[in-house]
Amino acid sequence: MSSEGGSDDHVVSLRDVEVHFESDSGLFGFGGDADVVKAVDGVSLDVPENDIVALVGESGCGKTTLGKTAIGVQRPTGGSVHYEGQDVWKAKDREGDVSIPHEEIRQSLQIIHQDPGASLNPNKTVQHTLSAPLRIRKPGMDTFERRDRIHEMLSRVGMEPPDDYAKRFPHQLSGGEKQRVALIRALLMNPDLILADEAVSALDVSLRIDMMDLMLELQDEFGTSFLFISHNLSNASYIAGKADGRIGIMYLGELVEIGPIDEVLGNPQHPYTRALMWATPNLDPDIEDPPDSPLRRIDVPDPRNPPSGCRFHTRCPEAREVCTTESPDLYADGASDAEAACFRVLDDHEYWDSPELDEEGDDRTDLVDESDHGGLADGAAE
Amino acid sequence: MTTMQPTDVSTVEDPIFEVRNTSVSFDMARGESNVLDSVSMDVRRGEVLGVVGESGSGKSMFASALLDAVVDPGMVTGDITFHPESGEPVEILGLPEDEIKRIRWEQIAMVFQGAMSSFNPTMTVGAHFEETLSVHDRPVEAGMDRARDLLSELYLEPAQVLGSYPHELSGGMKQRALIALALVLDPEVLVMDEPTAALDLLMQRNIIELIKQIAAERDLTIVFITHDLPLVANLADRLAVLYAFEFVEVGPAYEVLTGAKHPYTRALLNSTPNLDTPREEMQPIAGAAPDPVSVPDGCSYHPRCPLADERCVEEDPPLDADDPADDHAAACHYVERVREEIPLTLQEVRRHE
Ligand SMILES: Nc1ncnc2c1ncn2[C@@H]1O[C@H](COP(=O)(O)OP(=O)(O)OP(=O)(O)O)[C@@H](O)[C@H]1O
Ligand code: SF4
Ligand code: SF4
Ligand SMILES: [Mg+2]
């Protein structure tokens, strides 16, 4: 159909995407050589039309950078990003045959920011902010129709009474309310893909499913796809699960597990996915979940100096010697559609004969023997 | 101290705090805004009390009232009695400024919402500890030893963290350093208002486990305030639910989670994303929480409650249990109908398994 992995039934396709940032200030005060943060390091991902893909990982794992790359606002330092088969950055640079102009790509790929406060103009009322996308997308609407549409959307996200909220300025809104305005603004652009970056995390727990249901209705009605980024597996599971979508788990710039949501959560293959599931609080007090962290380290290693081999080995409870030198690809076990970047997926990998790591540097044993190794910057210290 | 027979649920044996008829109000152009409406609640010595409620329900007002730290021009009224381990009970409200300042940090420490930015960016983390110790006339050297112990317990490398500036630490490290700072004077109570909200779940869960251990080891009383019910579900001994500036339910955490008595708490449980709850069964709560200048008459939940009738519109239900010995109660006229008429999704699922 089309070249370089870009396909017409995917809204966006990412191939071997790398986003490497130069940084100078040392987070941990260690002087390393060239400080390059590999925020995204060799990720391939397709977002199909009319689908929901959730990306989950800890803060700093690169999920926001990957999301921004997918909607064409972050230029990758390697690999390619296609929108409906068109290379996004070739369109931007007017390179080769451009089938879809960059302007159109940008309108079709929208974002709801993590910090809506920063994205709303402080000098504009809600009404004013929300009129702008309607003017672009529905030039035929008159002022009254626009007002009605905006009021309808405000009510729908729980901002009652809507005429009161429509007159407010951002500083008169709570964080959650700003977030809702940002969602409405993106929705009114009628895009093909919305990057929702922690878009419901700021909302009250009781409002989250309402908001996610709203996104799902829209996806259904207009075929809008969502790239839903969250550190919260419950939210990701709710929205991607209802849409029969997929979930990708990220760790230190890499995708470590990806697959249909129910397969990944029903049978997590990667030890990191299991750690995230451990961290997801359960409302059922009858479920005895182990209190001890399955991680050997609490803190994420310094991303400027990620661990050798499997990047997760410094925290992985299953790590063996081979994990410190060799780095796993995404493997499928054949039984499911999910893939995980862990040697344990392969029955015949040398991992199984490799010696276990000694317990030094395990936060869990540190507590017991009161030795003095802290959990800081283990990656950097190696 | 005399031990009281519990007569209503806000009373507990051996309370460290007794909060009675406490209100917070603001004079606003739109009218008087009652952001905490005559609440009564005890905190038991040594417990972890989880206070949950939606954004704007008054959680932070409750937390600040405990320390008489409500921001100006907020007005606090009522009685809050603090019972220290040794010594006379202290009436918190109306205490002279220097005395309340001494009690804060030394006896009642706090980690407040947005506190991540409460480190001074121009001072090392270590300097914050030294300053806190010397302001409160504690021997700095012994205090710093204690600081190092606390940091290690929180899985931080003491020398490194103490020598760092706040911006050199990740969010999770900063938050743990702040918890250590709050504990360095060995307080009896730690009040935490959304202490982990800015962190990802993995770090939140790790910190919660650490808080649990520390609370158990040090007989610390913790008031943990959050909008995120599942987060405290595993941590709290008792849960108190705030709705529209009032407590609507309080009880042992297990009982509240598995047998909530108030329609709002049940709706909250059914609307909370949870891995084990079938997605199709989750229900958002209809309607919106009230504005503090116009709280509905009678039961303030009545506009959203599926069970509401005339009586609910007219009579404000008190927070008490049918049986005075019961330590689980809800402010609802129809507690006995709730179980039938508002099933708890997760419990239903369990029953049919
Ligand atoms: N300085 C102020 N002046 C007037 N009203 C205020 C002020 N600060 C807070 N309020 C109001 O008091 C009510 C309760 O606020 P509070 O901060 O206790 O809520 P909360 O439950 O902690 O919410 P959140 O989860 O958003 O932190 C809200 O309606 C809020 O708008
Ligand atoms: S490859 Fe090794 S270190 Fe990496 S996740 Fe698998 S077991 Fe753990
Ligand atoms: S008192 Fe009435 S309105 Fe209030 S919670 Fe109970 S049934 Fe609902
Ligand atoms: Mg608050």
Side-chain angles (χ1 to χ4, degrees), chain B residues 262-264 299-302 305-309 312 315 317 331-334:
Chain B
H262 196 280
Y264 171 69
C299 171
S300 53
Y301 188 56
H302 83 251
C305 183
L307 305 184
D309 65 9
C312 305
E315 259 178 71
C332 172
H333 295 308
Y334 300 118

Side-chain angles (χ1 to χ4, degrees), chain B residues 26 28 35 54-61 113 194 245 292:
Chain B
F26 286 90
M28 308 255 291
V35 295
E54 296 176 67
S55 175
S57 58
K59 302 183 297 292
S60 297
M61 294 301 151
Q113 204 167 13
E194 302 277 13
F245 327 108

Side-chain angles (χ1 to χ4, degrees), chain A residues 27 278 284 286 298-299, chain B residues 55 155 168 176 205 254 350:
Chain A
L27 180 67
W278 167 82
D284 188 348
D286 288 321
I298 286 180
D299 293 293
Chain B
S55 175
Y155 295 138
E168 293 174 316
R176 281 175 283 156
R205 176 72 198 261
Y254 183 88
R350 291 281 174 257

Side-chain angles (χ1 to χ4, degrees), chain B residues 39 43 48 61 69 114 123 179 247 284 324:
Chain B
V39 302
V43 182
V48 178
M61 294 301 151
M123 277 163 63
I179 293 170
F247 285 107

Side-chain angles (χ1 to χ4, degrees), chain A residues 7-146:
Chain A
S7 143
D8 288 338
D9 16 322
H10 293 143
V11 185
V12 294
S13 285
L14 283 70
R15 282 294 162 273
D16 302 316
V17 163
E18 288 179 0
V19 186
H20 295 180
F21 296 114
E22 305 259 340
S23 82
D24 34 27
S25 79
L27 180 67
F28 297 94
F30 284 96
D33 22 354
D35 273 348
V36 174
V37 179
K38 298 179 176 175
V40 177
D41 206 19
V43 172
S44 297
L45 179 72
D46 293 322
V47 183
E49 273 173 15
N50 197 6
D51 202 357
I52 294 189
V53 176
L55 281 179
V56 177
E58 273 163 292
S59 73
C61 72
K63 48 193 193 305
T64 296
T65 309
L66 181 63
K68 286 184 172 167
T69 311
I71 60 160
V73 299
Q74 172 69 52
R75 191 189 277 262
T77 50
S80 67
V81 184
H82 285 81
Y83 166 76
E84 307 276 1
Q86 167 67 49
D87 186 305
V88 172
W89 294 98
K90 284 187 177 157
K92 168 86 180 172
D93 300 339
R94 297 172 197 271
E95 208 183 288
D97 280 341
V98 175
S99 59
I100 308 172
H102 188 251
E103 181 61 14
E104 189 183 323
I105 298 178
R106 285 293 311 114
Q107 284 193 3
S108 307
L109 305 174
Q110 289 292 319
I111 182 171
I112 312 167
H113 287 279
Q114 195 163 352
D115 175 10
S119 72
L120 297 179
N121 185 329
N123 303 314
K124 287 186 179 169
T125 62
V126 169
Q127 175 76 31
H128 199 132
T129 296
L130 295 179
S131 295
L134 282 175
R135 283 209 182 87
I136 296 171
R137 283 301 196 183
K138 300 247 160 51
M141 261 192 179
D142 67 27
T143 315
F144 296 106
E145 286 167 334
R146 270 204 303 271

Side-chain angles (χ1 to χ4, degrees), chain B residues 143-161:
Chain B
M144 290 309 283
D145 283 343
R146 187 180 155 76
R148 276 184 280 271
D149 287 347
L150 281 163
L151 290 168
S152 310
E153 260 185 85
L154 292 161
Y155 295 138
L156 292 166
E157 170 64 60
Q160 182 142 33
V161 168

Side-chain angles (χ1 to χ4, degrees), chain B residues 201-337:
Chain B
L201 267 190
L202 199 47
M203 184 55 74
Q204 291 191 20
R205 176 72 198 261
N206 280 313
I207 290 182
I208 298 253
E209 292 303 329
L210 294 172
I211 292 172
K212 242 192 223 175
Q213 288 177 18
I214 286 178
E217 280 161 22
R218 296 168 197 268
D219 297 324
L220 192 64
T221 304
I222 292 183
V223 180
F224 192 102
I225 293 172
T226 179
H227 71 282
D228 199 342
L229 177 55
L231 194 70
V232 273
N234 291 313
L235 174 71
D237 299 310
R238 286 195 309 147
L239 285 174
V241 182
L242 266 174
Y243 180 77
F245 327 108
E246 291 175 304
F247 285 107
V248 297
E249 178 154 5
V250 61
Y254 183 88
E255 281 164 41
V256 173
L257 293 169
T258 55
K261 287 182 172 176
H262 196 280
Y264 171 69
T265 314
R266 294 176 82 86
L268 192 61
L269 287 166
N270 286 342
S271 71
T272 300
N274 187 48
L275 284 183
D276 283 352
T277 311
R279 295 166 192 130
E280 298 307 324
E281 308 283 327
M282 281 185 228
Q283 288 288 334
I285 308 180
D291 181 2
V293 294
S294 51
V295 177
D297 286 339
C299 171
S300 53
Y301 188 56
H302 83 251
R304 303 172 83 182
C305 183
L307 305 184
D309 65 9
E310 270 311 302
R311 184 176 173 209
C312 305
V313 179
E314 274 152 25
E315 259 178 71
D316 192 2
L319 179 65
D320 57 18
D322 304 333
D323 173 357
D326 196 346
D327 55 0
H328 178 193
C332 172
H333 295 308
Y334 300 118
V335 167
E336 70 286 351
R337 280 170 51 198

Side-chain angles (χ1 to χ4, degrees), chain A residues 205-219:
Chain A
V205 173
S206 63
L207 288 172
R208 287 183 193 163
I209 60 169
D210 217 13
M211 181 66 69
M212 290 190 276
D213 282 343
L214 188 64
M215 293 183 191
L216 286 161
E217 276 170 40
L218 221 97
Q219 184 235 345

